Amino acid sequence: LKRTPSKSHLRSAIPTKRCSETHLAGAMRMLWAIQAISLLCAMVAANVCDRNVTLKSQADVLDFAGNGCSRIRSLEIEGTVGHLSPLGGLTHLDGSLWIHDALELVSLSGLENITTIGKDNAGASIR
């Protein structure tokens, strides 16, 4: 004798729309959480310092370099800055680079690792 499954047994084997929507919503939340964690890890790894930096002296250069920032909003260099070699870890400027009135600055060595320079509010990248 063959046993035929009951109708209630068949119903439980067929996914319902409600069950699928629940699983999809859970999967979407999980995907969003993974993306958020990945973004945070990338920001930590890149040492993003979300601020504008103004360096007016060699002491300012050394203090800033000690922060380990590789990405900042913008960089302004002026005053008694003599050399920029401590800034070798800087790779991204989301805004502009502005160098002015830095009469003791003899070289841009230290800025060679910057691969990206954005623009300021006026649309300038380098001034």
Side-chain angles (χ1 to χ4, degrees):
L1 288 173
K2 288 186 176 180
R3 184 173 172 210
T4 58
S6 67
K7 288 183 179 182
S8 64
H9 181 277
L10 290 175
R11 272 190 301 238
S12 65
I14 299 172
T16 63
K17 182 177 181 182
R18 183 175 184 172
C19 180
S20 296
E21 288 173 355
T22 302
H23 284 95
L24 181 60
M28 293 300 291
R29 281 192 300 273
M30 182 65 77
L31 180 61
W32 181 85
I34 290 170
Q35 288 175 337
I37 291 169
S38 296
L39 179 62
L40 287 172
C41 289
M43 288 178 68
V44 169
N47 292 323
V48 175
C49 300
D50 190 24
R51 62 188 177 110
N52 299 316
V53 175
T54 299
L55 306 174
K56 296 182 179 186
S57 68
Q58 197 60 42
D60 289 348
V61 173
L62 296 172
D63 286 344
F64 173 71
N67 291 332
C69 298
S70 62
R71 183 177 194 146
I72 58 174
R73 284 189 199 159
S74 65
L75 178 60
E76 180 179 359
I77 300 167
E78 62 177 307
T80 60
V81 174
H83 63 91
L84 303 173
S85 57
L87 303 181
L90 197 56
T91 59
H92 290 80
L93 300 177
D94 293 330
S96 64
L97 170 63
W98 186 19
I99 302 172
H100 63 97
D101 301 320
L103 302 178
E104 296 180 28
L105 186 62
V106 295
S107 167
L108 296 179
S109 181
L111 300 182
E112 63 272 0
N113 293 325
I114 297 176
T115 59
T116 304
I117 298 177
K119 294 183 179 184
D120 63 11
N121 292 337
S125 293
I126 300 175
R127 295 191 273 169

